[in-house]
Amino acid sequence: MRRARVLMPGGVSSPVRAFAAVGGEPPVFTAGHGCRLIDADGREYIDHVLAYGPLILGHGHPAVRSALAARLPLGTAYGGPTILEVELAERVVAAVRSIEMVRFVNSGTEATMSALRLARAATGRDRVVKCAGGYHGHADLLLVEAGSGVATLGIPGSPGVPEAAVRDTLVVPYNDAAAVEELLAAEGDRVAAVIVEPVAGNMGCVPPRPGYLEALRELTARHGALLVFDEVMTGFRVAYGGAQELYGVTPDLTCLGKVIGGGLLVGAYGGPVALMERVAPSGPVYQAGTLSGNPLAMAAGCATLDELRDGAAYARLEALGGRLAAGLAAAAEERGLPCAVNRVGSMLTPFLGVVEVGDYAGARAADPALFRTVHAAWLAGGVFWPPSQYEAGFLSIAHGDAEVDRTVEVFATALAGDGSRGR
Ligand code: KE4
């Protein structure tokens, strides 16, 4: 890390990995096997980060390894069409109800940025609406802070984001359909899209309240705005068809990433042909990418989806997720500690010090000091949990009851404050 910090900001390639929210030195990883990571000191960790979602099969799944091994002798990138993009596109179109046509990109950021450009082009409108606490990547138009009040004009969320870039981005509370109704009543004819994480994962895991997604669907349709589901995290995670299958709500455009790359670089956005054929080169909406549709990434994605399609993985993940959530909740209960454990399938977050979290304000009421204590205990106890209260923890099909119980045991010990952090 000392060498890394000399060469790269914070010594990392993405901020969350630097452990700023929890303190201490992040482990430097050298290998992953199944549900475990190994660091440069040879320490093993049960992995609940799973690269922040992609590794639903765990590390080094045989199907992914053999798919990549088969491609390696054939080269890594061709700068032209390949059958591999067709293979992954067929799987995505077959799985995701809103997608008739898809474009592959290299990250979730590119997916949401491009989907919103398309929405603006298709509607001829400039305004976009996002939720406070929703994270859709780091494109300027989406790096906004929620101001005070119900629906506020975007305030730049980072230095370097000009006012002009977020002037047309409006922010509403998550899980608040009335706020969206009010906003669209006032601004609806200027709004190109409402973008939402159908299950929030970037304020910690916060499921949609009953009727919320249905209300967004009805309200956007009423006002001629597009509904964009950012399923970068939930796609193929909470169900093979994503949150839109789980909740039965069909958006106009869907953004994907993480799981569809199986740990390699893939993002995607898709929707009806009538919308997607507006994208260059078939239409005028420009979007491009040197390594989009990369053969290795496509191969890893296809192998991953092929392991998930029969649904057995989701039954296993639901059972493991239920066991973990129940264990964490029981441990907190035993110590009389308020703790809201939010979960959808195999993505979950224990919010410490609060009893219920339904939006970003609720998530921010959680106790950061207690989270830091628990995270340190998990790390010392051989459990790698996302180093922020505002991230979701994950499970893979490589996790078993033993690993789940270990994660609960270390959590309980940390709450007992008995400090016995031995393995
Ligand atoms: P990327 O550009 O990082 O591939 O995707 C951005 C993105 C878009 N939409 C959702 C719902 C996302 O969760 C993400 C990325 N998630 C974060 C963590 N929750 C990635 C981890 C990181 O930033 O290092």
Side-chain angles (χ1 to χ4, degrees):
M1 285 310 291
R2 203 173 31 258
R3 286 173 54 196
R5 287 193 187 99
V6 168
L7 297 164
M8 299 172 284
V12 292
S13 298
S14 197
V16 69
R17 304 179 199 168
F19 272 38
V22 293
E25 279 285 90
V28 176
F29 295 119
T30 55
H33 302 291
C35 70
R36 284 177 165 75
L37 280 166
I38 296 160
D39 74 13
D41 300 319
R43 276 193 290 257
E44 268 198 24
Y45 303 84
I46 296 168
D47 184 10
H48 290 293
V49 177
L50 296 169
Y52 292 91
L55 301 173
I56 196 167
L57 301 183
H59 296 274
H61 189 282
V64 176
R65 283 171 57 179
S66 56
L68 290 173
R71 291 306 313 174
L72 278 177
L74 306 173
T76 55
Y78 310 131
T82 69
I83 187 66
L84 291 142
E85 293 145 281
V86 177
E87 301 270 357
L88 188 57
E90 283 174 341
R91 287 164 171 83
V92 168
V93 167
V96 185
R97 58 174 58 193
S98 59
I99 298 182
E100 294 176 340
M101 185 177 272
V102 64
R103 166 61 56 86
F104 294 115
V105 293
N106 298 285
S107 68
T109 294
E110 284 184 75
T112 59
M113 174 176 77
S114 310
L116 291 177
R117 181 180 306 139
L118 173 57
R120 286 172 155 171
T123 60
R125 302 172 176 184
D126 292 343
R127 297 232 147 148
V128 297
V129 180
K130 74 174 287 285
C131 295
Y135 178 69
H136 308 288
H138 62 90
D140 277 357
L141 80 159
L142 288 161
L143 276 189
V144 294
E145 290 300 324
S148 59
V150 169
T152 60
L153 268 178
I155 301 159
S158 161
V161 174
E163 291 278 346
V166 295
R167 182 175 43 233
D168 290 311
T169 304
L170 292 152
V171 184
V172 291
Y174 178 69
N175 260 334
D176 182 344
V180 178
E181 181 161 28
E182 188 179 323
L183 172 66
L184 292 181
E187 301 264 355
D189 57 356
R190 300 176 61 187
V191 174
V194 173
I195 185 167
V196 66
E197 294 176 64
V199 176
N202 288 285
M203 53 180 100
C205 177
V206 182
R209 289 199 177 106
Y212 177 63
L213 298 177
E214 293 84 344
L216 292 186
R217 178 61 287 174
E218 194 278 323
L219 288 165
T220 47
R222 190 192 309 170
H223 290 278
L226 300 189
L227 179 59
V228 181
F229 272 9
D230 177 352
E231 295 225 43
V232 167
M233 188 182 287
T234 56
F236 296 93
R237 164 62 65 181
V238 299
Y240 190 67
Q244 55 199 269
E245 173 188 292
L246 193 63
Y247 296 102
V249 175
T250 304
D252 296 297
L253 289 172
T254 296
C255 304
L256 298 169
K258 296 183 193 274
V259 170
I260 65 165
L264 275 73
L265 299 147
V266 186
Y269 64 104
V273 169
L275 279 175
M276 291 303 292
E277 64 186 4
R278 292 165 177 262
V279 176
S282 50
V285 181
Y286 195 70
Q287 179 267 307
T290 302
L291 291 173
S292 297
N294 176 269
L296 295 178
M298 298 291 104
C302 286
T304 299
L305 298 193
D306 289 351
E307 293 299 314
L308 296 170
R309 191 178 307 111
D310 70 6
Y314 297 100
R316 176 173 174 75
L317 291 167
E318 179 55 34
L320 287 169
R323 185 182 183 103
L324 179 53
L328 297 175
E333 176 79 24
E334 249 164 71
R335 281 154 193 78
L337 173 85
C339 179
V341 183
N342 286 358
R343 175 180 76 89
V344 178
S346 57
M347 64 186 269
L348 70 160
T349 302
F351 292 95
L352 298 165
V354 287
V355 292
E356 195 262 341
V357 175
D359 59 15
Y360 189 39
R364 291 175 64 162
D367 181 340
L370 189 47
F371 182 82
R372 273 195 294 278
T373 301
V374 166
H375 190 272
W378 263 332
L379 207 61
V383 176
F384 182 46
W385 192 267
S388 163
Q389 177 71 87
Y390 304 127
E391 293 289 351
F394 298 100
L395 288 157
S396 76
I397 60 169
H399 286 77
D401 289 353
E403 287 78 21
V404 164
D405 296 348
R406 174 66 184 160
T407 298
V408 171
E409 179 196 354
V410 177
F411 178 80
T413 307
L415 295 187
D418 71 7
S420 66
R421 293 181 179 170
R423 290 186 185 281

